PDB file of all heavy atoms in Angstrom:
ATOM      1  N   PRO A  32     109.092  17.821  16.138  1.00 58.00           N
ATOM      2  CA  PRO A  32     110.198  17.171  16.762  1.00 58.00           C
ATOM      3  C   PRO A  32     110.427  17.763  18.197  1.00 58.00           C
ATOM      4  O   PRO A  32     110.290  18.942  18.458  1.00 58.00           O
ATOM      5  CB  PRO A  32     111.397  17.498  15.884  1.00 58.00           C
ATOM      6  CG  PRO A  32     111.045  18.689  15.193  1.00 58.00           C
ATOM      7  CD  PRO A  32     109.574  18.752  15.102  1.00 58.00           C
ATOM      8  N   GLU A  33     110.599  16.839  19.180  1.00 65.00           N
ATOM      9  CA  GLU A  33     110.830  17.150  20.572  1.00 65.00           C
ATOM     10  C   GLU A  33     112.308  17.374  20.808  1.00 65.00           C
ATOM     11  O   GLU A  33     113.111  16.543  20.364  1.00 65.00           O
ATOM     12  CB  GLU A  33     110.265  16.169  21.512  1.00 65.00           C
ATOM     13  CG  GLU A  33     108.678  16.207  21.415  1.00 65.00           C
ATOM     14  CD  GLU A  33     108.115  15.211  22.381  1.00 65.00           C
ATOM     15  OE1 GLU A  33     108.784  14.861  23.404  1.00 65.00           O
ATOM     16  OE2 GLU A  33     107.001  14.680  22.184  1.00 65.00           O
ATOM     17  N   LYS A  34     112.686  18.324  21.677  1.00 60.00           N
ATOM     18  CA  LYS A  34     114.103  18.581  22.014  1.00 60.00           C
ATOM     19  C   LYS A  34     114.391  17.652  23.326  1.00 60.00           C
ATOM     20  O   LYS A  34     113.473  17.410  24.033  1.00 60.00           O
ATOM     21  CB  LYS A  34     114.336  19.932  22.497  1.00 60.00           C
ATOM     22  CG  LYS A  34     114.298  20.961  21.329  1.00 60.00           C
ATOM     23  CD  LYS A  34     114.605  22.342  21.872  1.00 60.00           C
ATOM     24  CE  LYS A  34     114.731  23.312  20.927  1.00 60.00           C
ATOM     25  NZ  LYS A  34     115.007  24.628  21.475  1.00 60.00           N
ATOM     26  N   PRO A  35     115.541  17.087  23.299  1.00 67.00           N
ATOM     27  CA  PRO A  35     115.913  16.292  24.402  1.00 67.00           C
ATOM     28  C   PRO A  35     115.911  17.210  25.721  1.00 67.00           C
ATOM     29  O   PRO A  35     116.124  18.408  25.701  1.00 67.00           O
ATOM     30  CB  PRO A  35     117.355  15.805  24.230  1.00 67.00           C
ATOM     31  CG  PRO A  35     117.638  16.178  22.788  1.00 67.00           C
ATOM     32  CD  PRO A  35     116.625  17.120  22.312  1.00 67.00           C
ATOM     33  N   PHE A  36     115.682  16.700  26.824  1.00 56.00           N
ATOM     34  CA  PHE A  36     115.609  17.394  28.110  1.00 56.00           C
ATOM     35  C   PHE A  36     116.823  18.058  28.445  1.00 56.00           C
ATOM     36  O   PHE A  36     116.847  19.292  28.902  1.00 56.00           O
ATOM     37  CB  PHE A  36     115.274  16.350  29.343  1.00 56.00           C
ATOM     38  CG  PHE A  36     115.188  17.104  30.574  1.00 56.00           C
ATOM     39  CD1 PHE A  36     114.156  17.891  31.027  1.00 56.00           C
ATOM     40  CD2 PHE A  36     116.174  17.013  31.482  1.00 56.00           C
ATOM     41  CE1 PHE A  36     114.063  18.554  32.155  1.00 56.00           C
ATOM     42  CE2 PHE A  36     116.168  17.638  32.737  1.00 56.00           C
ATOM     43  CZ  PHE A  36     115.013  18.413  33.061  1.00 56.00           C
ATOM     44  N   ALA A  37     118.042  17.458  28.086  1.00 59.00           N
ATOM     45  CA  ALA A  37     119.221  18.113  28.453  1.00 59.00           C
ATOM     46  C   ALA A  37     119.432  19.554  27.593  1.00 59.00           C
ATOM     47  O   ALA A  37     119.913  20.460  28.112  1.00 59.00           O
ATOM     48  CB  ALA A  37     120.431  17.214  28.178  1.00 59.00           C
ATOM     49  N   LYS A  38     118.937  19.459  26.410  1.00 57.00           N
ATOM     50  CA  LYS A  38     119.077  20.584  25.558  1.00 57.00           C
ATOM     51  C   LYS A  38     118.084  21.667  26.060  1.00 57.00           C
ATOM     52  O   LYS A  38     118.508  22.898  26.013  1.00 57.00           O
ATOM     53  CB  LYS A  38     118.682  20.322  24.074  1.00 57.00           C
ATOM     54  CG  LYS A  38     118.723  21.439  23.033  1.00 57.00           C
ATOM     55  CD  LYS A  38     120.059  21.833  22.916  1.00 57.00           C
ATOM     56  CE  LYS A  38     120.167  22.992  21.815  1.00 57.00           C
ATOM     57  NZ  LYS A  38     121.273  23.766  21.877  1.00 57.00           N
ATOM     58  N   LEU A  39     116.949  21.388  26.534  1.00 52.00           N
ATOM     59  CA  LEU A  39     115.967  22.396  26.969  1.00 52.00           C
ATOM     60  C   LEU A  39     116.594  23.022  28.321  1.00 52.00           C
ATOM     61  O   LEU A  39     116.495  24.092  28.514  1.00 52.00           O
ATOM     62  CB  LEU A  39     114.638  21.685  27.422  1.00 52.00           C
ATOM     63  CG  LEU A  39     113.703  21.323  26.198  1.00 52.00           C
ATOM     64  CD1 LEU A  39     112.545  20.599  26.738  1.00 52.00           C
ATOM     65  CD2 LEU A  39     113.319  22.599  25.444  1.00 52.00           C
ATOM     66  N   LEU A  40     117.168  22.095  29.149  1.00 53.00           N
ATOM     67  CA  LEU A  40     117.827  22.529  30.304  1.00 53.00           C
ATOM     68  C   LEU A  40     118.910  23.592  30.013  1.00 53.00           C
ATOM     69  O   LEU A  40     118.949  24.661  30.653  1.00 53.00           O
ATOM     70  CB  LEU A  40     118.323  21.434  31.181  1.00 53.00           C
ATOM     71  CG  LEU A  40     118.959  21.848  32.584  1.00 53.00           C
ATOM     72  CD1 LEU A  40     117.799  22.438  33.456  1.00 53.00           C
ATOM     73  CD2 LEU A  40     119.408  20.540  33.247  1.00 53.00           C
ATOM     74  N   GLU A  41     119.781  23.158  29.144  1.00 55.00           N
ATOM     75  CA  GLU A  41     120.879  24.015  28.699  1.00 55.00           C
ATOM     76  C   GLU A  41     120.357  25.429  28.034  1.00 55.00           C
ATOM     77  O   GLU A  41     120.889  26.512  28.443  1.00 55.00           O
ATOM     78  CB  GLU A  41     121.802  23.433  27.635  1.00 55.00           C
ATOM     79  CG  GLU A  41     122.941  24.098  27.188  1.00 55.00           C
ATOM     80  CD  GLU A  41     123.707  23.372  26.116  1.00 55.00           C
ATOM     81  OE1 GLU A  41     124.046  22.175  26.388  1.00 55.00           O
ATOM     82  OE2 GLU A  41     123.906  23.895  25.004  1.00 55.00           O
ATOM     83  N   ASP A  42     119.325  25.384  27.270  1.00 55.00           N
ATOM     84  CA  ASP A  42     118.780  26.625  26.818  1.00 55.00           C
ATOM     85  C   ASP A  42     118.152  27.571  27.721  1.00 55.00           C
ATOM     86  O   ASP A  42     118.238  28.790  27.663  1.00 55.00           O
ATOM     87  CB  ASP A  42     117.605  26.242  25.715  1.00 55.00           C
ATOM     88  CG  ASP A  42     118.145  25.595  24.469  1.00 55.00           C
ATOM     89  OD1 ASP A  42     119.360  25.743  24.169  1.00 55.00           O
ATOM     90  OD2 ASP A  42     117.253  25.064  23.691  1.00 55.00           O
ATOM     91  N   ASN A  43     117.671  26.985  28.875  1.00 58.00           N
ATOM     92  CA  ASN A  43     117.073  27.868  29.926  1.00 58.00           C
ATOM     93  C   ASN A  43     118.158  28.255  31.026  1.00 58.00           C
ATOM     94  O   ASN A  43     117.723  28.931  31.864  1.00 58.00           O
ATOM     95  CB  ASN A  43     115.963  27.038  30.636  1.00 58.00           C
ATOM     96  CG  ASN A  43     114.775  26.960  29.723  1.00 58.00           C
ATOM     97  OD1 ASN A  43     114.510  27.795  28.898  1.00 58.00           O
ATOM     98  ND2 ASN A  43     114.131  25.793  29.760  1.00 58.00           N
ATOM     99  N   LEU A  44     119.417  27.790  30.894  1.00 75.00           N
ATOM    100  CA  LEU A  44     120.426  28.130  31.970  1.00 75.00           C
ATOM    101  C   LEU A  44     120.796  29.673  31.829  1.00 75.00           C
ATOM    102  O   LEU A  44     120.566  30.357  32.808  1.00 75.00           O
ATOM    103  CB  LEU A  44     121.562  27.332  31.670  1.00 75.00           C
ATOM    104  CG  LEU A  44     122.673  27.461  32.733  1.00 75.00           C
ATOM    105  CD1 LEU A  44     122.236  27.144  34.105  1.00 75.00           C
ATOM    106  CD2 LEU A  44     123.859  26.739  32.370  1.00 75.00           C
ATOM    107  N   LEU A  45     121.090  30.133  30.707  1.00 84.00           N
ATOM    108  CA  LEU A  45     121.541  31.486  30.579  1.00 84.00           C
ATOM    109  C   LEU A  45     121.399  31.936  29.040  1.00 84.00           C
ATOM    110  O   LEU A  45     122.052  31.131  28.171  1.00 84.00           O
ATOM    111  CB  LEU A  45     122.909  31.667  31.209  1.00 84.00           C
ATOM    112  CG  LEU A  45     123.494  33.155  31.201  1.00 84.00           C
ATOM    113  CD1 LEU A  45     122.514  33.945  32.209  1.00 84.00           C
ATOM    114  CD2 LEU A  45     124.863  33.129  31.666  1.00 84.00           C
ATOM    115  N   LYS A  46     120.855  33.107  28.766  1.00 88.00           N
ATOM    116  CA  LYS A  46     120.798  33.523  27.447  1.00 88.00           C
ATOM    117  C   LYS A  46     121.668  34.788  27.168  1.00 88.00           C
ATOM    118  O   LYS A  46     121.793  35.581  28.211  1.00 88.00           O
ATOM    119  CB  LYS A  46     119.366  33.780  26.889  1.00 88.00           C
ATOM    120  CG  LYS A  46     118.524  32.492  26.949  1.00 88.00           C
ATOM    121  CD  LYS A  46     117.031  32.914  26.644  1.00 88.00           C
ATOM    122  CE  LYS A  46     116.250  32.109  27.519  1.00 88.00           C
ATOM    123  NZ  LYS A  46     115.132  32.665  28.095  1.00 88.00           N
TER     124      LYS A  46
END
Side-chain angles (χ1 to χ4, degrees):
E33 293 184 25
K34 288 184 178 180
F36 178 74
K38 180 67 176 162
L39 287 172
L40 185 62
E41 183 180 308
D42 290 345
N43 290 324
L44 185 63
L45 187 65
K46 298 176 217 134

